[in-house]
Amino acid sequence: MVTTLPYGSWPSPITAELLATGGTRLGAPALVGDHVWWTEGIATEGGRQAIRRTAGSLAADGSSDHEAVTVLPAPFNARSRVHEYGGASWAVVPEPAGPSADPTAPSAEPPLVVFVNFEDQRVHALREGGAPRPLSPVGPEVESAHGPSLRWADPTVVTLPDGEVEVWWICEDHTGGEQGPRTDADGAPHIERYIAAVPLDGSAAEDLAAIRRVTPASRFVAHPRLSPDGTRLAWLSWEHPQMPWDGTELHLAPLIDGSAGEGEIVAGGPDVSVMQPEWLDDDQLMFVSDSTGWWNPWVWSSADGARQVLEREEEFASPMWALGTTWYQVLDADRALVQHGRAATRLSVLRISTGELSPLDCPLTQISTAVLREDGLLVLAGASPTEFAAIQTAHLDLGSAAGPGPSAPALSPLRVLRSSRDDAPDPSLLPVGESIEVPLPDGGVVHAILYRPRQEGIAGREGELPPVIAQVHGGPTSHVPPVLSLPVAYYTSRGLGVVAVNYGGSSGYGRAYRDRLRGQWGVVDVTDTVAVMEHLVAEGIADGRRLAIEGGSAGGWTTLACLTRTTTFAAGISSFGVAELESFRLETHDFESRYIDGLVGPYPECRDLYVDRAPLNHVDELECPVLLLQGDEDRIVPPSQSERVRDALAAKGIPHAYLLFQGEQHGFRKAESIIAALEAGLSFYGQVLGFSPACVPVLPLDRG
């Protein structure tokens, strides 16, 4: 029997508390001997990121006892602040740790772990069961740093030609060196980034001079890779105003006495994005480049220069928001395990000499990590349209050759090692995503994923269409993959529709689609989002009088721009959203401080566009209620952005609410913050869109 209830008022067991405390944020799985290690965010411990591992050894088929051990105890938090978004924050140093060690001798101690601690951003060393000890010093106080002036990310374990094992880090240095803190010609604080070797013996814990610089300083650096013979170093760099998806340079230099000079640039440039260099052997260097319009694999050698391995209208990489992100693993001099696709990701074995791809039967449509052990044990972190994000294992048989037939690589069924949701709701409550392409007047399309209201046994009232919420992702150079999402189910199980819009500028569809947003931020993203909503209304899927929009960061900008520039939406929620650009470019962090040059135009030459595009300057055109959510420690989009919108809404008498969460940065990690934000949002939508949500406190709205 089916019960009919108004859309939005359906009772649902998917509560805000379930989203905040029941799930686990998993990341960075790695194979260490016979164990799998990973990071795990713990919302009930203030969102700290712990390091964990399997208790028992994993067989080649991935079987284990599924128990987990916490390696990094509270209150330590393995999280980097380099670029503010961080990235890889820990590594395990293999034994032996020196040239005189016997590699055949069994280790009596747990492995050595190095990590950067979030609070002080110092590198620490730890052996399981012991106390962490610092390896890097506290940087001197620098006012413009808004926190520690020395920060570290992406530890890379290297073996030097003499057999010595070192750990190289990306250092973000706000100190200014011998000249001290200063500003550059453009008025921005002087910041250097470089690859540095941090001694494992603790000799640099109080002495920055004991840390050896491995590369020259650039504004940004990434992916240091030492050749197998230890003689040459490859790494990436880029300068303002480029972002890493706009243009990077691939450097190659000899390593002399532990350091590299300027070397030569072998690939990339201001308009070509190169990602993830990896050595195939002592002379061949593989990398991913978008020089032909898609991130495809290339190989460089001293004899032949650079050549493209294959050309496909698919992406073999994605925007590098987090340092240490990888998209493939070199298996030998002629094979690599690669991730590729468009909106969805596939897994294949690439034969480098021929460009042949051997697809693997893998159900995941989003893969963040894929690591293969020599015996064929494969560890994957990812999600699918029917499974929440998880760390999974399988056995990969590489076969004898690429191509069809019995010798082709084959993947066994996946086993869940650690799921982000051990309390997954009944499948009858979960949404089913529908990928749609909405035609545009210019002949192009907008990509989106539609989730209709769904809860078995409940339906909307006859003749009623559901409210639909447009979710616009941040970035804006990013995209929403087709995977199962509990935050989406929070809405759809209550009778609300959701559509995730991958507007022009989103990744996953090639450089031309990304470049649709160049100079057009606040225009293309708005028109694309409105086009999707108009399509849903025209198709009888959504109630055109009850459309809402929400997004965070750059998605908050698009949300506010849609609300102030169109009459499409009846309500909107901006989470730590950008509201204006002139002060934002001065207040935001260094990594994105020149991002707007490409999205809108250089300043001050394009000041008129900065003023005209800013939603804050068009609040007079806004007529619908707005909810603003913000973290008080956000250095990417500071609270001042939301507060300016709040004040403008109050001045005009528009119903609104502003919630400032203590101790939160760019995105909420604490359970109490997540619960409050979700319940406030649902109450807000109910009040504005005309439904009565069950079991959430009423959010008071300020009417000026």
Side-chain angles (χ1 to χ4, degrees):
M1 180 178 176
V2 176
T3 302
T4 58
L5 293 171
Y7 287 112
S9 65
W10 303 356
S12 172
I14 301 177
T15 63
E17 185 176 8
L18 180 69
L19 268 70
T21 62
T24 304
R25 191 177 62 255
L26 302 173
L31 283 160
V32 181
D34 294 333
H35 300 270
V36 176
W37 294 48
W38 66 91
T39 56
E40 191 164 311
I42 306 175
T44 54
E45 294 182 15
R48 86 172 183 100
Q49 192 160 276
I51 301 172
R52 308 197 78 196
R53 66 168 177 84
T54 52
S57 300
L58 264 71
D61 65 358
S63 58
S64 75
D65 59 10
H66 288 242
E67 292 296 319
V69 173
T70 299
V71 177
L72 182 64
F76 291 95
N77 182 359
R79 183 178 162 206
S80 169
R81 280 192 62 181
V82 173
H83 298 182
E84 295 297 345
Y85 292 108
S89 59
W90 64 280
V92 175
V93 183
E95 303 290 353
S100 61
D102 179 4
T104 64
S107 176
E109 292 185 292
L112 181 67
V113 184
V114 291
F115 69 96
V116 57
N117 188 47
F118 180 72
E119 183 177 0
D120 57 13
Q121 288 298 289
R122 297 177 78 183
V123 174
H124 289 70
L126 166 73
R127 291 191 188 273
E128 187 177 332
R133 56 184 175 88
L135 299 183
S136 67
V138 175
E141 185 173 338
V142 176
E143 184 178 355
S144 62
H146 298 282
S149 62
L150 289 173
R151 305 173 185 189
W152 310 86
D154 193 17
T156 303
V157 179
V158 299
T159 302
L160 300 179
D162 64 0
E164 186 72 26
V165 174
E166 291 189 333
V167 180
W168 293 354
W169 295 77
I170 294 172
C171 179
E172 180 177 283
D173 187 343
H174 296 249
T175 67
E178 293 181 357
Q179 298 182 53
R182 59 192 187 278
T183 57
D184 291 330
D186 61 0
H190 181 79
I191 302 171
E192 293 182 342
R193 296 176 180 87
Y194 46 84
I195 312 301
V198 178
L200 296 172
D201 62 4
S203 58
E206 305 295 338
D207 182 11
L208 182 59
I211 293 174
R212 185 180 79 252
R213 291 196 183 196
V214 177
T215 65
S218 299
R219 196 69 185 200
F220 304 98
V221 295
H223 286 304
R225 295 294 186 265
L226 186 63
S227 61
D229 62 7
T231 63
R232 289 189 289 182
L233 176 64
W235 75 97
L236 300 178
S237 77
W238 67 98
E239 300 290 332
H240 281 321
Q242 278 75 33
M243 299 299 287
W245 43 85
D246 295 327
T248 59
E249 294 179 334
L250 175 55
H251 299 255
L252 187 62
L255 191 73
I256 301 173
D257 296 329
S259 297
E262 294 290 343
E264 60 178 323
I265 297 170
V266 299
D271 300 311
V272 175
S273 173
V274 172
M275 299 287 186
Q276 195 188 345
E278 300 286 357
W279 292 94
L280 300 175
D281 53 31
D282 289 335
D283 186 56
Q284 294 188 95
L285 185 66
M286 184 174 171
F287 57 93
V288 180
S289 169
D290 73 349
S291 59
T292 59
W294 297 80
W295 274 308
N296 280 187
W298 288 65
V299 169
W300 179 93
S301 69
S302 55
D304 302 322
R307 69 172 180 87
Q308 190 167 5
V309 174
L310 83 167
E311 184 172 355
R312 291 172 68 106
E313 291 189 349
E314 291 185 319
E315 303 282 38
F316 285 73
S318 60
M320 186 172 58
W321 283 98
L323 289 166
T325 304
T326 59
W327 300 271
Y328 68 91
Q329 179 185 347
V330 171
L331 304 179
D332 55 42
D334 194 34
R335 290 182 298 182
L337 182 66
V338 297
Q339 304 167 36
H340 61 103
R342 292 197 176 192
T345 302
R346 292 179 290 175
L347 196 64
S348 296
V349 175
L350 170 66
R351 178 71 62 173
I352 297 166
S353 58
T354 64
E356 294 178 85
L357 277 176
S358 296
L360 300 174
D361 185 13
C362 179
L364 303 181
T365 53
Q366 180 193 38
I367 301 171
S368 59
T369 306
V371 186
L372 185 67
R373 200 167 66 184
E374 290 183 356
D375 63 358
L377 173 66
L378 179 66
V379 178
L380 297 167
S384 78
T386 58
E387 290 188 78
F388 292 107
I391 297 173
Q392 306 197 46
T393 60
H395 179 75
L396 175 57
D397 181 354
L398 289 171
S400 57
S407 60
L411 187 67
S412 70
L414 301 184
R415 297 171 179 257
V416 175
L417 177 69
R418 182 72 169 165
S419 175
S420 63
R421 300 228 62 103
D422 293 329
D423 55 353
D426 189 282
S428 65
L429 292 163
L430 301 178
V432 177
E434 305 170 39
S435 294
I436 60 175
E437 294 183 352
V438 177
L440 292 170
D442 64 3
V445 298
V446 184
H447 301 275
I449 305 170
L450 171 64
Y451 300 92
R452 302 174 191 256
R454 181 173 187 262
Q455 184 178 159
E456 288 186 10
I458 302 180
R461 294 181 300 190
E462 185 176 354
E464 181 188 10
L465 290 174
V468 173
I469 302 166
Q471 291 186 337
V472 284
H473 63 71
T477 312
S478 181
H479 83 283
V480 180
V483 297
L484 191 59
S485 166
L486 199 60
V488 168
Y490 180 73
Y491 288 139
T492 57
S493 65
R494 288 173 164 78
L496 301 172
V498 172
V499 61
V501 183
N502 284 320
Y503 49 82
S506 300
S507 57
Y509 307 99
R511 179 140 193 163
Y513 195 79
R514 293 203 313 272
D515 284 350
R516 285 187 58 223
L517 203 61
R518 289 192 67 82
Q520 296 297 310
W521 194 35
V523 178
V524 165
D525 48 329
V526 171
T527 57
D528 283 7
T529 302
V530 169
V532 170
M533 304 310 286
E534 290 178 344
H535 170 78
L536 298 181
V537 172
E539 292 294 313
I541 296 170
D543 183 345
R545 298 165 301 175
R546 296 194 292 169
L547 303 178
I549 183 170
E550 64 182 30
S553 192
W557 160 276
T558 302
T559 293
L560 295 171
C562 283
L563 295 177
T564 55
R565 285 305 189 72
T566 78
T567 58
T568 303
F569 299 95
I573 301 177
S574 171
S575 299
F576 35 90
V578 180
E580 61 80 52
L581 300 178
E582 288 191 279
S583 48
F584 173 75
R585 57 182 286 275
L586 300 175
E587 295 171 342
T588 191
H589 63 140
D590 183 60
F591 178 62
E592 292 182 89
S593 63
R594 299 290 300 278
Y595 194 6
I596 304 171
D597 284 34
L599 295 173
V600 177
Y603 191 90
E605 297 91 325
C606 296
R607 181 180 182 275
D608 288 348
L609 284 178
Y610 279 53
V611 173
D612 181 62
R613 297 278 179 82
L616 180 66
N617 297 331
H618 295 277
V619 172
D620 283 347
E621 302 166 41
L622 190 152
E623 299 294 341
C624 68
V626 181
L627 171 60
L628 304 167
L629 306 173
Q630 179 71 48
D632 74 326
E633 296 179 2
D634 194 337
R635 280 290 306 132
I636 296 169
V637 180
S640 57
Q641 290 281 308
S642 293
E643 289 163 0
R644 291 185 181 103
V645 177
R646 175 203 61 193
D647 295 344
L649 294 171
K652 194 183 178 189
I654 294 174
H656 67 279
Y658 173 57
L659 301 183
L660 183 67
F661 295 100
Q662 303 298 315
E664 294 286 10
Q665 298 90 44
H666 200 63
F668 307 145
R669 293 171 178 261
K670 297 179 180 180
E672 58 270 26
S673 303
I674 297 169
I675 292 170
L678 286 167
E679 292 186 340
L682 187 60
S683 173
F684 172 73
Y685 284 143
Q687 293 178 60
V688 178
L689 302 181
F691 62 86
S692 299
C695 303
V696 296
V698 175
L699 174 71
L701 294 182
D702 187 338
R703 301 183 184 272

